[in-house]
Amino acid sequence: MAYGFIAASNQSLNTTSTPVSGVPVTLACWVKCDTLPSVQTSIFGIGVNTSTATTYITLELQSTNRPQAIHRSVTQGSSSATTGSIVAGQWFHVCGVFETNSLRTVYWNGVASTANTTSVTPFTATRIQIARRPNTNATGASFLTGNVAEAAVWNAALTATEIASLAQGMTCDKIRPQSLVFYAPLVRDLIDQKGGLTITNNNGATVAEHTRVYA
């Protein structure tokens, strides 16, 4: 079972610390949107625990319904999937590889986007957030309506081959385990199987259908 979220209820999951403070970092998870978002929507990221600082590294959905990897501080760099669009009610895999402060790529179902090379000012992340942007208390716009499963963070830049294995259903703990620093399968229990971080359920996110994965 995954966890399901309703944007209108401001539902999300978060930790109050993070095992990685910045780049290099890889974020990955499975997502299923109940409805297609009409505004930019956050899926999973790391950021600063404040309502004012615009500093975060996240996986999001554009208003055009394509996955996007965003690194934002004083400046913003973003890598976006360039073709197609997600389908409501269907699972897809999204992964963001943030190699340096001036290089990032998003993978959608294992297929890489064009890399983005905008230089972004470094910052130190302090939290992990699922189903909303890590730095904001804004209502609605950044929240996700749908399911998230198999959320993971590596303190390294995964390769295209490793990401393809994840997109084919391999569980995160089998991919470069020495660099895996956070792993929440979200199968009923809110457990970080790798680092033991406490995960808080905000506003009643519920257990939902899980995507198929292979241990």
Side-chain angles (χ1 to χ4, degrees):
M1 309 303 286
Y3 265 76
F5 306 90
I6 300 173
S9 298
N10 295 352
Q11 293 176 343
S12 68
L13 307 175
N14 76 275
T15 69
T16 56
S17 63
T18 174
V20 58
S21 60
V23 298
V25 62
T26 298
L27 308 173
C29 63
W30 285 91
V31 189
K32 183 177 74 170
C33 293
D34 294 343
T35 58
L36 298 182
S38 59
V39 295
Q40 192 155 322
T41 300
S42 188
I43 301 169
F44 174 40
I46 62 174
V48 179
N49 188 14
T50 172
S51 62
T52 57
T54 53
T55 49
Y56 46 82
I57 290 174
T58 62
L59 300 173
E60 300 201 350
L61 291 173
Q62 300 172 286
S63 58
T64 54
N65 300 317
R66 294 174 184 168
Q68 187 173 41
I70 299 176
H71 187 173
R72 181 168 183 176
S73 184
V74 176
T75 53
Q76 175 176 307
S78 59
S79 174
S80 303
T82 54
T83 60
S85 60
I86 67 169
V87 176
Q90 291 187 8
W91 284 100
F92 63 93
H93 188 264
V94 60
C95 179
V97 180
F98 302 82
E99 295 188 45
T100 69
N101 288 306
S102 58
L103 182 61
R104 59 208 60 88
T105 305
V106 68
Y107 289 76
W108 179 14
N109 291 331
V111 178
S113 69
T114 300
N116 175 268
T117 58
T118 302
S119 181
V120 177
T121 304
F123 71 93
T124 299
T126 59
R127 70 191 272 135
I128 295 171
Q129 191 84 47
I130 299 172
R132 63 170 276 185
R133 197 167 288 157
N135 74 304
T136 179
N137 62 5
T139 301
S142 65
F143 288 83
L144 173 74
T145 294
N147 297 0
V148 176
E150 300 293 315
V153 179
W154 290 260
N155 62 2
L158 295 188
T159 66
T161 299
E162 290 170 326
I163 295 165
S165 294
L166 289 170
Q168 291 165 6
M170 184 66 68
T171 55
C172 301
D173 55 340
K174 303 300 189 297
I175 302 298
R176 211 184 302 191
Q178 70 275 18
S179 299
L180 183 66
V181 293
F182 174 84
Y183 177 35
L186 302 181
V187 180
R188 292 191 181 277
D189 296 324
L190 294 177
I191 296 175
D192 168 16
Q193 292 189 357
K194 188 64 179 184
L197 291 180
T198 299
I199 302 172
T200 300
N201 185 340
N202 301 295
N203 300 317
T206 56
V207 172
E209 175 194 10
H210 201 90
T211 188
R212 177 176 292 181
V213 291
Y214 305 94

